[in-house]
Amino acid sequence: MVLSMSSWREYDRGETLFLQGETAQAIHIVTEGWVKLYRIAPNGGEAVVNVFAKGESFGEAVAFRGHAYPVSAEAVTTCEVMRIPSVALLEAMRKDPEIAVSVLASTFAHLHSLVSQLEQLKAQTGPQRVAEFLLELCEHEEGSCVVTLPYDKFLIAGRLGMKPESLSRSFAKLKNAGVHIKRNHAAIDDIERLREFSETDPVEAWHKAQ
Amino acid sequence: MVLSMSSWREYDRGETLFLQGETAQAIHIVTEGWVKLYRIAPNGGEAVVNVFAKGESFGEAVAFRGHAYPVSAEAVTTCEVMRIPSVALLEAMRKDPEIAVSVLASTFAHLHSLVSQLEQLKAQTGPQRVAEFLLELCEHEEGSCVVTLPYDKFLIAGRLGMKPESLSRSFAKLKNAGVHIKRNHAAIDDIERLREFSETDPVEAWHKAQ
DNA sequence: TGGACTAAATGACAATAATCAAGTTGCCTG
DNA sequence: CAGGCAACTTGATTATTGTCATTTAGTCCA
């Protein structure tokens, strides 16, 4: 039932899914590619709020009330997105409250991710945020590994609240924590060591980075 | 029904309502005073995520899944808090899906507030964030007004992602935008002018602040 | 193979915010 | 009213980040 009312679309890189201020009438699920949520401040600055990958959904909380989107969405790669009209999901929710609970759970995940970002911005230095970003990409908890940077450095910088130049310098500092960047791959010598770097006091971290 | 299962408690200033990592079993509604939500980063830094006033609720999204709180909560003034066990609300939601929708709406409000904070941190300078904070306290859209700072400056600084000293200096810079601080009151000469300050380009704002 | 384009790194400098230290100010209490 | 405490302000210095300009490297395509 829900599926029957859903539509499905492809977007090219750079294409806009919706703009902040538009009235929300559907929730979106990324089925392929990457979508970024960003916000333009009145002074013109862009803040990347989140980047969603395959399987993730966004816009739940907004759509239900027909509020205006607080953010804009843009495809950062060619991608496929499923669109579920909010009326369809609302109806489903009325029939099965379990659905309501799982929508809430998903919304909570977003809330949690925003809280994490706030913590990082307020309490960590640039290189520490980069370290944490890399750690989240790792699949293991220890040892060494090589991760692929999921999108270009310009976007990563935005996501971490810094300029591309600063990201570049952060990568340079992380060499002392055993991280080597080559193209869009990052080789991490020792995951534990990198985690320690991201968790130590900023002033200590500074000495280590020298 | 829901109310019959709820409890009600007073907290002294500085008392902890819950700590991050604890399992959530209830949502909280502030009926008097102020409660801050904060998060301690692994490196020891504290990030104030939000400060809630009378009438506001928090913890909805977490409680439903019995997840661990991502943040800690502490009373910043003496306050009264209502506690609704999540089982009670879950049951109510099953009976009346409308409740689910309104819980989602409230969760969305939090989500929106977090997005705003991210935007401010990523795209605005310190003084601009302070200006915006003051504007949110104003009840009018234009003209002049006097607002009362809702909590002490140490906490305001934390909420805005800066050190108390920086807040102090920001206030000093805002004198040029027609803001005068006296004790815990801020007199704003011209709301429009202050808004313009918070919305102009950082580099322009700098010239104006000289 | 050789441009031409783009992404990224680097250097020099300005600007913003943190840190440390020293004053204020107001308030409470004996 | 003096003394002491706590919150806040101010000053001097350092560190981090942003900005602008330039260089390097990689990729595409004829």
Side-chain angles (χ1 to χ4, degrees):
Chain A
M1 216 297 289
V2 172
L3 289 177
S4 70
M5 291 181 66
S6 308
S7 59
W8 204 71
R9 235 202 95 174
E10 290 200 3
Y11 292 89
D12 286 333
R13 179 169 193 247
E15 218 175 328
T16 295
L17 281 72
F18 54 78
L19 291 172
Q20 69 195 64
E22 286 182 15
T23 303
Q25 284 157 348
I27 75 166
H28 299 260
I29 301 175
V30 182
T31 53
E32 194 63 59
W34 298 83
V35 174
K36 81 167 172 184
L37 261 46
Y38 63 101
R39 200 173 143 99
I40 302 293
N43 66 12
E46 174 181 317
V48 176
V49 172
N50 218 334
V51 181
F52 289 101
K54 186 197 295 192
E56 295 181 297
S57 64
F58 54 91
E60 296 91 346
V62 216
F64 287 105
R65 278 286 150 122
H67 277 127
Y69 286 112
V71 294
S72 302
E74 184 186 306
V76 293
T77 61
T78 302
C79 61
E80 297 166 356
V81 178
M82 207 167 101
R83 224 182 95 98
I84 302 181
S86 39
V87 284
L89 201 57
L90 255 177
E91 200 169 319
M93 251 172 59
R94 275 186 234 282
K95 284 184 185 152
D96 180 3
E98 272 317 310
I99 292 183
V101 174
S102 62
V103 168
L104 259 169
S106 156
T107 302
F108 164 64
H110 295 169
L111 208 78
H112 198 345
S113 134
L114 291 176
V115 167
S116 285
Q117 274 197 68
L118 273 181
E119 171 194 308
Q120 287 178 23
L121 278 173
K122 287 183 176 175
Q124 292 185 285
T125 67
Q128 284 184 319
R129 295 201 298 274
V130 176
E132 198 142 320
F133 179 80
L134 291 176
L135 287 169
E136 281 168 18
L137 294 173
C138 291
E139 299 186 339
H140 309 287
E141 296 292 310
E142 52 184 16
S144 66
C145 76
V146 176
V147 301
T148 303
L149 301 179
Y151 24 87
D152 71 22
K153 300 195 180 168
F154 193 87
L155 184 54
I156 294 175
R159 166 62 237 288
L160 296 176
M162 60 179 78
K163 299 287 154 183
E165 293 95 326
S166 297
L167 177 66
S168 211
R169 285 179 235 272
S170 294
F171 278 142
K173 285 195 178 174
L174 288 182
K175 276 181 192 152
N176 296 299
V179 176
H180 298 267
I181 307 293
K182 193 122 183 216
R183 317 254 296 98
N184 61 339
H185 293 280
I188 301 170
D189 290 347
D190 182 353
I191 296 181
E192 295 270 12
R193 183 163 150 225
L194 185 60
R195 178 171 303 117
E196 195 172 316
F197 173 86
S198 84
E199 293 181 357
T200 49
D201 196 66
V203 294
E204 287 179 54
W206 182 77
H207 291 295
K208 291 184 186 168
Q210 288 303 299
Chain B
M1 216 298 288
V2 171
L3 289 178
S4 71
M5 291 183 66
S6 309
S7 59
W8 203 73
R9 232 202 99 172
E10 291 202 3
Y11 291 89
D12 286 332
R13 178 168 193 247
E15 219 176 328
T16 296
L17 280 73
F18 53 78
L19 290 172
Q20 70 194 63
E22 286 182 13
T23 304
Q25 284 159 349
I27 75 165
H28 297 260
I29 301 175
V30 181
T31 53
E32 194 63 58
W34 298 84
V35 173
K36 81 168 172 184
L37 260 45
Y38 64 100
R39 202 173 142 99
I40 302 293
N43 66 13
E46 173 180 318
V48 177
V49 171
N50 218 334
V51 181
F52 290 102
K54 188 198 292 194
E56 295 181 299
S57 65
F58 53 90
E60 295 91 346
V62 214
F64 286 106
R65 277 288 149 125
H67 277 127
Y69 287 112
V71 295
S72 302
E74 182 187 307
V76 293
T77 62
T78 301
C79 62
E80 297 166 358
V81 178
M82 206 166 102
R83 223 183 99 97
I84 302 182
S86 42
V87 284
L89 202 58
L90 255 176
E91 199 170 318
M93 249 172 63
R94 275 186 231 283
K95 285 183 183 151
D96 180 4
E98 271 318 309
I99 292 182
V101 175
S102 61
V103 168
L104 262 168
S106 156
T107 302
F108 165 64
H110 294 170
L111 212 76
H112 197 344
S113 133
L114 291 175
V115 167
S116 285
Q117 274 196 67
L118 272 181
E119 171 194 307
Q120 289 179 21
L121 278 173
K122 286 183 177 174
Q124 291 185 286
T125 67
Q128 285 185 319
R129 295 201 297 273
V130 175
E132 199 142 318
F133 179 80
L134 292 175
L135 287 169
E136 281 168 18
L137 294 173
C138 290
E139 299 186 340
H140 310 288
E141 295 291 310
E142 53 183 16
S144 66
C145 76
V146 176
V147 301
T148 302
L149 302 179
Y151 23 86
D152 70 23
K153 301 196 179 166
F154 193 88
L155 184 54
I156 296 175
R159 165 64 238 285
L160 296 175
M162 59 179 75
K163 298 289 154 185
E165 293 96 321
S166 297
L167 177 65
S168 210
R169 285 179 235 274
S170 293
F171 277 142
K173 283 195 180 174
L174 288 182
K175 277 182 191 151
N176 297 299
V179 175
H180 298 267
I181 306 293
K182 192 120 180 220
R183 317 255 293 99
N184 63 337
H185 293 279
I188 301 169
D189 291 348
D190 183 352
I191 295 180
E192 295 270 12
R193 184 162 149 228
L194 186 60
R195 178 171 302 116
E196 196 171 314
F197 173 87
S198 83
E199 292 180 358
T200 49
D201 197 66
V203 293
E204 287 179 54
W206 181 76
H207 291 297
K208 289 183 186 168
Q210 288 305 296

